Amino acid sequence: MSAQPAPAPPSRSVNIDTSSFSSGAGSSPSFWGRLSTWASENKAVVYTIAGVAVVVTGAGVVYYLQDSKKEQAEVEERRASKKERRKAKKEKEKEEEKPAPEASKQPSVETASEEIPDVNESNVDSLDDQTRKDYASKLKAAGNKAYGDKLYDDAIDLYGKAILCKADPIFYSNRAACYNALSQWDKVVEDTTAAIALDSEYVKALNRRANAYEHIEKYSEALLDYTASCIINNFQNEQSAGSVERLLRKVAETKSRAILATKEKKLPSATFVNNYLQSFRPKPPPAGLEETADVDEESGKGYLKAGIMAMSSRSGEGFERASDDFDKAIELGGLGEHEAFAYNMRGTFRYLRGENQTALEDLTKSVELDPSLTQSFIKRASMHLETGDRDAAAKDFDLAMAKNTEDPDLYYHRAQLHFILGEFADAAKDYQRSIELDRDFIFSHIQLGVTQYKMGSIASSMATFRRCIKNFDKVPDVYNYYGELLLDQQKYDEAIEKFDTAVEMEKQSKPLGMNVLPLINKALALFQWKQDYPEAEKLCQKALIIDPECDIAVATMAQLLLQQGKVTEALDYFEKAAELSRTEGEIVNALSYAEATRTQLEVTQRYPQLASKLQGMGAGAMGGLR
């Protein structure tokens, strides 16, 4: 698995596919990257044990049934026993040995009218069973020919007569293919539903109905059918799997827009905010705003000072007070030389609340007031990066560099950009320059070690972390990130030892603002190593007691429950993760897992026989969540 940048907003495990980043100042991958990477490597097992939690790439292969120009008139075989399939295959081979009928200059099923039985509702009841069977076979063959000649209305009539003789799922599905060619989607749904009622594991009918559902924008129903199809085929059909992935995202995007329209803009968890803020080097308050400074508490400067003091608590409550204070400071005005700084801070907290547009406006105002405040350029660059505008991000770094080539934060955050783009050599160079300018900022050292690891220089990476522990032996983040690299190498004992050390240090140094990531990492280590679900859950619950808004803890808990088959409970946690998510991309990812989980529940309820199939597929196939 791949290493990642740190610290993140929030910092994540190194065991993440860095192709799916949730950018921020630290530009770290989101937790969903970890789940998606594991899912992509263990897809069938994920469906089996984790409730259809497929990797959501947004680039799944679109699986529509062939349209009228490409779809061939094929004789469909039902799922049957091996003996029946062998028999059908032999019969098909015999049929193929016969010469193909000559194509009529004016194709018409009337060419062989003397061979087409005259069947209707009034006379079918008078036919004996064998005659019905014979008539059904002839009518189906005539329907296949009409379909091949694109005489869809004739084919529909012929398949309909065949159905009068024998209610066979193939006849319904073939007639549905005709309706599909005519884009009569409701009719497709009606006939495929009849076929599935007769054969609940009829994959072609499921796929055909899913396609029709998608055309009439019943995406949840389409997702359900494609999922059932995947399970029946043991996930061997990549097109169907791609359709599941695509529809998961489509359903999630639709729901995410509804959530965003009504979502309250609020700060994320204290863990997230802490990790974002500590990705910048700590600096003393501007002159005149120190704790001892004598300013009117009810003035703009007074509220600006109060906001700085509130941030120092590193707690959720403190961050909420700081956010309100920075809003009030600008509202009151009279900030003088501190105005650019005030806009920087308000923009920072607006960004953290998910108010990206107004945050960008504040940071732009900040650099207009004081172009030497390079931190505002850096933060604006990180916002551009989060929205996928890498060119704008690079431009802001260039603007900052033009103002100050000696700012270590600038090199650190530009290195994050390089890391995300996979430019690891450039990232390492910038991290090293950041260290040269300020050796006391621990995260430059940590990031250098992670980058070396990502580049495949394992020995160099481990050496960097050992130096970090020697030089920053009282900093819990060093042990946490070192533990993640050890976990990635499956050195479980050593990794857990480092996580325990980080947890104890956090308790001692930051009792009110403890970083819960070491607890979550230990939970993942115990799960991956020993499948110790009870202890892993206990650690996640402890993390949520300390930081109830921690999206990483919620998502980890959801996945642990899912692995145990506790699908209903997992669904609740995935939906909560969506509520806690900050950006549209994070909401879509969380909802994708929620919808996958919900779909698995519906599949097993609607098709009970598939539940046992899933369990059989998952037996002994459990892998470690990375």
Side-chain angles (χ1 to χ4, degrees):
M1 307 295 289
S2 56
Q4 71 176 63
S11 303
R12 309 295 204 216
S13 165
V14 297
N15 304 315
I16 291 182
D17 176 4
T18 53
S19 65
S20 55
F21 274 70
S22 172
S23 305
S27 301
S28 166
S30 72
F31 177 77
W32 301 106
R34 178 193 299 146
L35 300 188
S36 293
T37 299
W38 183 84
S40 67
E41 295 173 352
N42 304 273
K43 186 167 291 186
V45 181
V46 171
Y47 273 79
T48 303
I49 300 175
V52 206
V54 302
V55 54
V56 182
T57 64
V61 179
V62 180
Y63 180 49
Y64 289 105
L65 297 182
Q66 294 173 323
D67 60 23
S68 59
K69 294 182 179 179
K70 297 180 181 179
E71 190 167 18
Q72 300 176 354
E74 55 189 353
V75 179
E76 300 183 47
E77 295 177 9
R78 295 177 58 185
R79 292 180 57 84
S81 67
K82 291 182 179 179
K83 183 178 180 180
E84 290 172 327
R85 287 200 296 271
R86 283 196 297 270
K87 181 180 178 182
K89 184 178 179 181
K90 288 180 180 178
E91 291 176 349
K92 184 178 180 181
E93 288 172 348
K94 289 180 181 177
E95 185 68 22
E96 288 174 347
E97 290 173 359
K98 298 178 181 179
E102 288 186 11
S104 171
K105 294 181 180 179
Q106 295 181 341
S108 171
V109 293
E110 293 182 5
T111 303
S113 60
E114 67 278 7
E115 299 177 9
I116 299 174
D118 182 16
V119 178
N120 54 55
E121 291 182 359
S122 62
N123 66 13
V124 70
D125 290 337
S126 65
L127 303 176
D128 59 53
D129 289 344
Q130 186 59 48
T131 301
R132 286 190 184 192
K133 183 177 179 180
D134 292 341
Y135 281 11
S137 179
K138 291 179 179 179
L139 288 163
K140 180 189 72 170
N144 287 346
K145 183 182 185 305
Y147 182 90
D149 291 338
K150 299 185 180 181
L151 299 172
Y152 302 121
D153 288 331
D154 288 342
I156 288 168
D157 179 62
L158 290 162
Y159 289 134
K161 289 179 179 180
I163 290 168
L164 285 176
C165 295
K166 180 184 178 183
D168 190 296
I170 294 177
F171 303 166
Y172 280 108
S173 184
N174 282 2
R175 189 168 69 176
C178 298
Y179 288 127
N180 184 86
L182 298 171
S183 300
Q184 296 181 22
W185 308 117
D186 289 337
K187 290 288 189 180
V188 175
V189 170
E190 184 179 330
D191 270 1
T192 50
T193 298
I196 294 163
L198 293 167
D199 182 356
S200 61
E201 295 190 18
Y202 194 176
V203 170
K204 194 157 287 187
L206 283 164
N207 286 339
R208 210 161 255 157
R209 187 171 69 177
N211 177 55
Y213 275 140
E214 189 167 4
H215 273 89
I216 58 178
E217 299 184 1
K218 291 187 175 182
Y219 300 125
S220 294
E221 289 87 343
L223 176 59
L224 182 65
D225 280 348
Y226 276 131
T227 299
S229 169
C230 281
I231 296 169
I232 293 167
N233 271 337
N234 298 319
F235 312 95
Q236 298 303 307
N237 189 316
E238 288 298 320
Q239 290 181 315
S240 294
S243 294
V244 170
E245 295 169 10
R246 174 173 47 76
L247 280 166
L248 277 174
R249 179 159 290 274
K250 186 174 287 187
V251 171
E253 286 174 347
T254 300
K255 292 190 174 183
S256 72
R257 285 191 288 271
I259 289 175
L260 284 170
T262 58
K263 184 177 175 64
E264 177 189 359
K265 299 296 185 182
K266 64 177 184 178
L267 290 177
S269 70
T271 299
F272 188 108
V273 177
N274 264 314
N275 282 312
Y276 177 85
L277 295 176
Q278 73 179 7
S279 69
F280 293 90
R281 285 162 173 75
K283 295 179 181 179
L289 296 176
E290 305 93 335
E291 187 175 3
T292 57
D294 183 17
V295 295
D296 181 0
E297 293 182 358
E298 297 302 317
S299 67
K301 289 183 180 180
Y303 276 98
L304 190 55
K305 174 188 169 184
I308 296 170
M309 296 303 107
M311 284 172 58
S312 64
S313 71
R314 302 184 66 176
S315 66
E317 183 180 344
F319 292 137
E320 289 290 350
R321 285 203 311 272
S323 180
D324 292 340
D325 287 341
F326 293 137
D327 286 344
K328 189 69 174 178
I330 291 181
E331 178 187 330
L332 292 173
L335 298 167
E337 70 275 21
H338 302 306
E339 188 175 6
F341 174 76
Y343 276 102
N344 175 299
M345 296 312 300
R346 189 176 74 169
T348 298
F349 278 85
R350 281 182 166 180
Y351 163 70
L352 290 168
R353 288 199 300 263
E355 300 172 8
N356 287 2
Q357 186 55 47
T358 55
L360 274 173
E361 292 170 3
D362 276 354
L363 292 170
T364 298
K365 179 71 172 177
S366 176
V367 297
E368 288 172 353
L369 291 166
D370 184 1
S372 68
L373 191 55
T374 54
Q375 190 184 94
S376 294
F377 283 111
I378 294 170
K379 289 178 178 178
R380 192 170 69 176
S382 73
M383 292 186 62
H384 287 312
L385 198 56
E386 185 170 283
T387 58
D389 193 345
R390 294 172 176 176
D391 290 339
K395 182 179 179 181
D396 270 340
F397 281 123
D398 289 343
L399 290 170
M401 190 68 69
K403 302 297 180 184
N404 185 357
T405 58
E406 301 298 307
D407 184 349
D409 273 344
L410 174 55
Y411 290 97
Y412 175 81
H413 286 275
R414 191 174 69 175
Q416 301 287 69
L417 171 63
H418 287 310
F419 191 103
I420 291 172
L421 298 179
E423 300 163 355
F424 302 119
D426 290 333
K429 188 184 300 182
D430 272 351
Y431 287 133
Q432 188 62 57
R433 179 57 178 157
S434 179
I435 292 169
E436 291 170 0
L437 291 169
D438 178 7
R439 304 194 68 83
D440 295 331
F441 186 61
I442 179 60
F443 294 108
S444 293
H445 298 270
I446 291 175
Q447 272 308 133
L448 177 60
V450 172
T451 302
Q452 290 167 333
Y453 189 88
K454 182 67 177 176
M455 294 171 71
S457 302
I458 309 300
S460 297
S461 175
M462 296 296 102
T464 296
F465 271 95
R466 286 192 292 271
R467 286 195 299 273
C468 285
I469 288 177
K470 179 180 179 181
N471 297 325
F472 301 92
D473 61 319
K474 303 300 182 185
V475 181
D477 300 274
V478 175
Y479 298 90
N480 180 52
Y481 283 99
Y482 190 24
E484 291 184 351
L485 295 184
L486 292 168
L487 178 59
D488 196 62
Q489 299 170 65
Q490 299 182 6
K491 296 179 179 180
Y492 301 112
D493 275 331
E494 295 178 63
I496 289 174
E497 178 189 346
K498 296 297 182 291
F499 295 142
D500 282 337
T501 300
V503 168
E504 289 305 312
M505 287 185 174
E506 288 282 352
K507 288 179 182 177
Q508 296 298 321
S509 63
K510 297 172 283 186
L512 296 179
M514 177 180 172
N515 187 339
V516 299
L517 295 181
L519 287 171
I520 300 169
N521 280 331
K522 182 179 178 181
L524 290 171
L526 288 171
F527 161 71
Q528 184 179 333
W529 184 19
K530 300 179 178 180
Q531 286 75 58
D532 189 346
Y533 294 107
E535 186 61 26
E537 283 188 37
K538 190 183 300 181
L539 288 165
C540 285
Q541 291 286 13
K542 186 174 182 180
L544 287 170
I545 290 171
I546 296 169
D547 189 353
E549 301 291 297
C550 182
D551 60 329
I552 316 172
V554 171
T556 304
M557 190 68 176
Q559 190 70 2
L560 289 172
L561 291 167
L562 217 46
Q563 303 302 325
Q564 300 171 75
K566 299 177 181 178
V567 183
T568 304
E569 296 173 62
L571 179 58
D572 291 338
Y573 275 94
F574 277 128
E575 289 179 337
K576 184 178 180 182
E579 293 172 8
L580 294 174
S581 295
R582 221 181 105 262
T583 67
E584 183 176 1
E586 289 172 357
I587 294 172
V588 167
N589 279 328
L591 287 175
S592 294
Y593 280 91
E595 287 306 309
T597 306
R598 194 190 323 280
T599 300
Q600 189 247 4
L601 274 175
E602 293 181 10
V603 166
T604 54
Q605 289 168 359
R606 189 174 298 186
Y607 307 107
Q609 76 278 12
L610 295 185
S612 58
K613 186 179 179 71
L614 283 172
Q615 292 173 0
M617 290 168 54
M622 187 62 205
L625 175 63
R626 295 293 186 88

